[in-house]
Amino acid sequence: MTEQRWSGRGWTLNVTTGEVTFSGDSGKLTVEAIDAAELRVRRRWFRWRLERGEHRVGRLRGIGSVDARAAELAIKRVALAQDVEGAVVWKAAATGLIAAGLRAQRWISLEGVNEVLGGRPNPGLLERLQSAGLLSVLTDAEREAVETLDFDLEQAAADANEQIMATELSTRRRFFDTIEKSPLTEEQARAVICYDNRVQVLAAAGSGKTSVMVARAAYAVDRDFVPPDRILLLAFNNAAAAELRQRVTARFAAAGIDSTDVRASTFHSFGLDVIGQATGEKPRLASWVDQGRDNEMVLRIVDELSDQSTEFRRDWDLYRLLFAHAPTDLAADEPDGYDTDSKKQGYQTFGGEIVKSHGERLIADFLYLNGVDYAYERPYEFKVADPTHSQYHPDFYYPEKNVWHEHWALDRD
């Protein structure tokens, strides 16, 4: 925005990108852009004047209506200039993130998207500019940037990542077919290409998680995403770590990829190394770790913590009495109680009731252990029975709060 200037009998008004300056009979006033929204050019009766909030700054003697309106728009433009500039900068960052990912064919990470979203100005700027009548004074680039503030960057990144995924699956098919002895499945290949900063792969034993680890490491080096000495593969035991090292050496070599300094180790080994590097003295593992006394030591630690903290003791008791017994295989955990009144089998709670499901037992036991007064399947206080429906019995009722609780359980489907 170039400098704009209006003047009349005994006054001048200068508007630049950074400030508004008024000189008149009462002196000189300079208002920076951040405070320019306080200024208004208003007509009072037959005279125009400059106001700041509810106070008059000075009369604009001799100014015409056209120039007065132009000055008003110029001041509004200054007040919103930083917001408009912020929109321009943000549009460049948002579109640049997507363009860079597509250009490099590199997955756009969630952290990258969130970083750009964190710098987004107020999305309501378009509406504010419309209310101020300023859309007409924006350049095409500025208007496009303001409209882009309402752009769904997360969806745009997801669409771009899907495009990257499709391209990589096609153009690097030979890599995915040969990086392991058996070609990677499409699911495995997608897990390799999805190069976010944190990726969780859930898969059954023997389904190829190790292949995905090796392929992801090779993909990172082959694409120059990460140098070999910045890659660490961790395993839970020595045998798995040794297999990772052997697979990395063999498969990288077969693909002509440098595996120098790619490290594969156990969590223990890596942790000990980090402590050694940080302290200058590598520690030894506790003697009980490799002597089959680990459960004994864990229980001893739990006892000591329980003696030191009533809060820890409560949480531990809740875990061991309740959550540790939550079934993992519902089909194998048969009912263990019998209701003599209803003549039906069920699941016995700590409170002595027989309930119908695992979920109801967990809820009832939780309430019992936490001292919550409840009634199981008390008849609903309003009669809802009819010729085709019996009276409603919600699962739990809390008399102290007069609250009814129906547990809508979910099954494996």
Side-chain angles (χ1 to χ4, degrees), residues 199-220:
V199 175
Q200 183 182 47
V201 176
L202 301 177
S207 59
K209 295 189 295 295
T210 301
S211 293
V212 171
M213 289 181 68
V214 173
R216 277 176 66 83
Y219 182 74

PDB file of all heavy atoms in Angstrom, residues 199-220:
ATOM      1  N   VAL A 199       4.085 -44.149  13.359  1.00  0.00           N
ATOM      2  CA  VAL A 199       3.186 -45.073  12.665  1.00  0.00           C
ATOM      3  C   VAL A 199       3.071 -46.341  13.505  1.00  0.00           C
ATOM      4  O   VAL A 199       4.084 -46.913  13.917  1.00  0.00           O
ATOM      5  CB  VAL A 199       3.708 -45.420  11.261  1.00  0.00           C
ATOM      6  CG1 VAL A 199       2.813 -46.467  10.614  1.00  0.00           C
ATOM      7  CG2 VAL A 199       3.771 -44.170  10.393  1.00  0.00           C
ATOM      8  N   GLN A 200       1.864 -46.758  13.784  1.00  0.00           N
ATOM      9  CA  GLN A 200       1.644 -48.001  14.525  1.00  0.00           C
ATOM     10  C   GLN A 200       1.096 -49.052  13.570  1.00  0.00           C
ATOM     11  O   GLN A 200       0.102 -48.812  12.886  1.00  0.00           O
ATOM     12  CB  GLN A 200       0.651 -47.765  15.670  1.00  0.00           C
ATOM     13  CG  GLN A 200       0.416 -49.003  16.533  1.00  0.00           C
ATOM     14  CD  GLN A 200      -0.603 -48.755  17.627  1.00  0.00           C
ATOM     15  OE1 GLN A 200      -1.662 -48.206  17.367  1.00  0.00           O
ATOM     16  NE2 GLN A 200      -0.278 -49.154  18.847  1.00  0.00           N
ATOM     17  N   VAL A 201       1.778 -50.183  13.522  1.00  0.00           N
ATOM     18  CA  VAL A 201       1.347 -51.300  12.684  1.00  0.00           C
ATOM     19  C   VAL A 201       0.850 -52.407  13.599  1.00  0.00           C
ATOM     20  O   VAL A 201       1.598 -52.903  14.455  1.00  0.00           O
ATOM     21  CB  VAL A 201       2.504 -51.810  11.802  1.00  0.00           C
ATOM     22  CG1 VAL A 201       2.058 -53.038  11.011  1.00  0.00           C
ATOM     23  CG2 VAL A 201       2.973 -50.720  10.854  1.00  0.00           C
ATOM     24  N   LEU A 202      -0.401 -52.781  13.464  1.00  0.00           N
ATOM     25  CA  LEU A 202      -0.982 -53.862  14.255  1.00  0.00           C
ATOM     26  C   LEU A 202      -1.123 -55.094  13.361  1.00  0.00           C
ATOM     27  O   LEU A 202      -1.766 -55.033  12.315  1.00  0.00           O
ATOM     28  CB  LEU A 202      -2.357 -53.455  14.800  1.00  0.00           C
ATOM     29  CG  LEU A 202      -2.375 -52.211  15.698  1.00  0.00           C
ATOM     30  CD1 LEU A 202      -3.802 -51.882  16.111  1.00  0.00           C
ATOM     31  CD2 LEU A 202      -1.510 -52.412  16.922  1.00  0.00           C
ATOM     32  N   ALA A 203      -0.517 -56.188  13.775  1.00  0.00           N
ATOM     33  CA  ALA A 203      -0.566 -57.396  12.950  1.00  0.00           C
ATOM     34  C   ALA A 203      -0.278 -58.607  13.817  1.00  0.00           C
ATOM     35  O   ALA A 203       0.410 -58.517  14.840  1.00  0.00           O
ATOM     36  CB  ALA A 203       0.451 -57.302  11.810  1.00  0.00           C
ATOM     37  N   ALA A 204      -0.798 -59.742  13.400  1.00  0.00           N
ATOM     38  CA  ALA A 204      -0.610 -60.980  14.151  1.00  0.00           C
ATOM     39  C   ALA A 204       0.819 -61.493  13.995  1.00  0.00           C
ATOM     40  O   ALA A 204       1.556 -61.093  13.087  1.00  0.00           O
ATOM     41  CB  ALA A 204      -1.603 -62.030  13.647  1.00  0.00           C
ATOM     42  N   ALA A 205       1.199 -62.378  14.887  1.00  0.00           N
ATOM     43  CA  ALA A 205       2.527 -62.993  14.816  1.00  0.00           C
ATOM     44  C   ALA A 205       2.690 -63.726  13.491  1.00  0.00           C
ATOM     45  O   ALA A 205       1.780 -64.413  13.026  1.00  0.00           O
ATOM     46  CB  ALA A 205       2.713 -63.961  15.982  1.00  0.00           C
ATOM     47  N   GLY A 206       3.861 -63.552  12.857  1.00  0.00           N
ATOM     48  CA  GLY A 206       4.145 -64.237  11.610  1.00  0.00           C
ATOM     49  C   GLY A 206       3.549 -63.600  10.378  1.00  0.00           C
ATOM     50  O   GLY A 206       3.626 -64.156   9.276  1.00  0.00           O
ATOM     51  N   SER A 207       2.947 -62.412  10.522  1.00  0.00           N
ATOM     52  CA  SER A 207       2.293 -61.777   9.376  1.00  0.00           C
ATOM     53  C   SER A 207       3.209 -60.815   8.626  1.00  0.00           C
ATOM     54  O   SER A 207       2.791 -60.231   7.629  1.00  0.00           O
ATOM     55  CB  SER A 207       1.031 -61.042   9.835  1.00  0.00           C
ATOM     56  OG  SER A 207       1.354 -60.058  10.807  1.00  0.00           O
ATOM     57  N   GLY A 208       4.440 -60.626   9.103  1.00  0.00           N
ATOM     58  CA  GLY A 208       5.390 -59.830   8.334  1.00  0.00           C
ATOM     59  C   GLY A 208       5.734 -58.472   8.903  1.00  0.00           C
ATOM     60  O   GLY A 208       6.119 -57.570   8.146  1.00  0.00           O
ATOM     61  N   LYS A 209       5.638 -58.306  10.216  1.00  0.00           N
ATOM     62  CA  LYS A 209       6.004 -57.007  10.804  1.00  0.00           C
ATOM     63  C   LYS A 209       7.497 -56.731  10.645  1.00  0.00           C
ATOM     64  O   LYS A 209       7.901 -55.598  10.385  1.00  0.00           O
ATOM     65  CB  LYS A 209       5.604 -56.963  12.278  1.00  0.00           C
ATOM     66  CG  LYS A 209       4.102 -57.024  12.521  1.00  0.00           C
ATOM     67  CD  LYS A 209       3.749 -56.766  13.975  1.00  0.00           C
ATOM     68  CE  LYS A 209       4.266 -57.844  14.901  1.00  0.00           C
ATOM     69  NZ  LYS A 209       3.621 -59.163  14.631  1.00  0.00           N
ATOM     70  N   THR A 210       8.324 -57.781  10.797  1.00  0.00           N
ATOM     71  CA  THR A 210       9.767 -57.592  10.636  1.00  0.00           C
ATOM     72  C   THR A 210      10.096 -57.184   9.200  1.00  0.00           C
ATOM     73  O   THR A 210      10.963 -56.328   8.963  1.00  0.00           O
ATOM     74  CB  THR A 210      10.518 -58.877  11.009  1.00  0.00           C
ATOM     75  OG1 THR A 210      10.214 -59.230  12.356  1.00  0.00           O
ATOM     76  CG2 THR A 210      12.020 -58.679  10.869  1.00  0.00           C
ATOM     77  N   SER A 211       9.399 -57.754   8.241  1.00  0.00           N
ATOM     78  CA  SER A 211       9.610 -57.364   6.841  1.00  0.00           C
ATOM     79  C   SER A 211       9.303 -55.891   6.634  1.00  0.00           C
ATOM     80  O   SER A 211      10.005 -55.183   5.894  1.00  0.00           O
ATOM     81  CB  SER A 211       8.737 -58.221   5.921  1.00  0.00           C
ATOM     82  OG  SER A 211       9.156 -59.566   5.939  1.00  0.00           O
ATOM     83  N   VAL A 212       8.247 -55.417   7.288  1.00  0.00           N
ATOM     84  CA  VAL A 212       7.888 -53.998   7.176  1.00  0.00           C
ATOM     85  C   VAL A 212       8.974 -53.123   7.787  1.00  0.00           C
ATOM     86  O   VAL A 212       9.345 -52.089   7.221  1.00  0.00           O
ATOM     87  CB  VAL A 212       6.523 -53.724   7.843  1.00  0.00           C
ATOM     88  CG1 VAL A 212       6.249 -52.229   7.930  1.00  0.00           C
ATOM     89  CG2 VAL A 212       5.405 -54.401   7.065  1.00  0.00           C
ATOM     90  N   MET A 213       9.515 -53.529   8.937  1.00  0.00           N
ATOM     91  CA  MET A 213      10.584 -52.750   9.571  1.00  0.00           C
ATOM     92  C   MET A 213      11.798 -52.640   8.658  1.00  0.00           C
ATOM     93  O   MET A 213      12.360 -51.552   8.462  1.00  0.00           O
ATOM     94  CB  MET A 213      10.985 -53.387  10.907  1.00  0.00           C
ATOM     95  CG  MET A 213       9.964 -53.242  12.014  1.00  0.00           C
ATOM     96  SD  MET A 213      10.533 -53.987  13.563  1.00  0.00           S
ATOM     97  CE  MET A 213      11.883 -52.888  14.003  1.00  0.00           C
ATOM     98  N   VAL A 214      12.223 -53.776   8.112  1.00  0.00           N
ATOM     99  CA  VAL A 214      13.397 -53.776   7.234  1.00  0.00           C
ATOM    100  C   VAL A 214      13.121 -52.953   5.986  1.00  0.00           C
ATOM    101  O   VAL A 214      13.959 -52.143   5.548  1.00  0.00           O
ATOM    102  CB  VAL A 214      13.775 -55.228   6.859  1.00  0.00           C
ATOM    103  CG1 VAL A 214      14.885 -55.237   5.801  1.00  0.00           C
ATOM    104  CG2 VAL A 214      14.215 -56.006   8.093  1.00  0.00           C
ATOM    105  N   ALA A 215      11.941 -53.121   5.407  1.00  0.00           N
ATOM    106  CA  ALA A 215      11.600 -52.384   4.186  1.00  0.00           C
ATOM    107  C   ALA A 215      11.486 -50.886   4.446  1.00  0.00           C
ATOM    108  O   ALA A 215      11.895 -50.067   3.613  1.00  0.00           O
ATOM    109  CB  ALA A 215      10.293 -52.918   3.607  1.00  0.00           C
ATOM    110  N   ARG A 216      10.931 -50.502   5.599  1.00  0.00           N
ATOM    111  CA  ARG A 216      10.829 -49.062   5.923  1.00  0.00           C
ATOM    112  C   ARG A 216      12.215 -48.446   6.052  1.00  0.00           C
ATOM    113  O   ARG A 216      12.465 -47.326   5.595  1.00  0.00           O
ATOM    114  CB  ARG A 216      10.045 -48.862   7.225  1.00  0.00           C
ATOM    115  CG  ARG A 216       8.539 -48.881   7.043  1.00  0.00           C
ATOM    116  CD  ARG A 216       7.824 -48.778   8.368  1.00  0.00           C
ATOM    117  NE  ARG A 216       8.028 -47.497   9.033  1.00  0.00           N
ATOM    118  CZ  ARG A 216       7.330 -46.396   8.765  1.00  0.00           C
ATOM    119  NH1 ARG A 216       6.402 -46.400   7.830  1.00  0.00           N
ATOM    120  NH2 ARG A 216       7.563 -45.272   9.421  1.00  0.00           N
ATOM    121  N   ALA A 217      13.130 -49.164   6.698  1.00  0.00           N
ATOM    122  CA  ALA A 217      14.493 -48.656   6.839  1.00  0.00           C
ATOM    123  C   ALA A 217      15.159 -48.513   5.470  1.00  0.00           C
ATOM    124  O   ALA A 217      15.794 -47.492   5.162  1.00  0.00           O
ATOM    125  CB  ALA A 217      15.307 -49.584   7.740  1.00  0.00           C
ATOM    126  N   ALA A 218      14.995 -49.538   4.626  1.00  0.00           N
ATOM    127  CA  ALA A 218      15.592 -49.485   3.287  1.00  0.00           C
ATOM    128  C   ALA A 218      14.955 -48.378   2.455  1.00  0.00           C
ATOM    129  O   ALA A 218      15.644 -47.665   1.709  1.00  0.00           O
ATOM    130  CB  ALA A 218      15.414 -50.840   2.594  1.00  0.00           C
ATOM    131  N   TYR A 219      13.659 -48.213   2.559  1.00  0.00           N
ATOM    132  CA  TYR A 219      12.935 -47.164   1.821  1.00  0.00           C
ATOM    133  C   TYR A 219      13.439 -45.784   2.232  1.00  0.00           C
ATOM    134  O   TYR A 219      13.653 -44.905   1.392  1.00  0.00           O
ATOM    135  CB  TYR A 219      11.445 -47.304   2.121  1.00  0.00           C
ATOM    136  CG  TYR A 219      10.538 -46.330   1.419  1.00  0.00           C
ATOM    137  CD1 TYR A 219      10.242 -46.445   0.067  1.00  0.00           C
ATOM    138  CD2 TYR A 219       9.926 -45.299   2.137  1.00  0.00           C
ATOM    139  CE1 TYR A 219       9.378 -45.552  -0.565  1.00  0.00           C
ATOM    140  CE2 TYR A 219       9.065 -44.407   1.520  1.00  0.00           C
ATOM    141  CZ  TYR A 219       8.786 -44.531   0.170  1.00  0.00           C
ATOM    142  OH  TYR A 219       7.929 -43.651  -0.452  1.00  0.00           O
ATOM    143  N   ALA A 220      13.655 -45.593   3.542  1.00  0.00           N
ATOM    144  CA  ALA A 220      14.129 -44.297   4.036  1.00  0.00           C
ATOM    145  C   ALA A 220      15.505 -43.953   3.474  1.00  0.00           C
ATOM    146  O   ALA A 220      15.770 -42.814   3.072  1.00  0.00           O
ATOM    147  CB  ALA A 220      14.162 -44.307   5.562  1.00  0.00           C
TER     148      ALA A 220
END
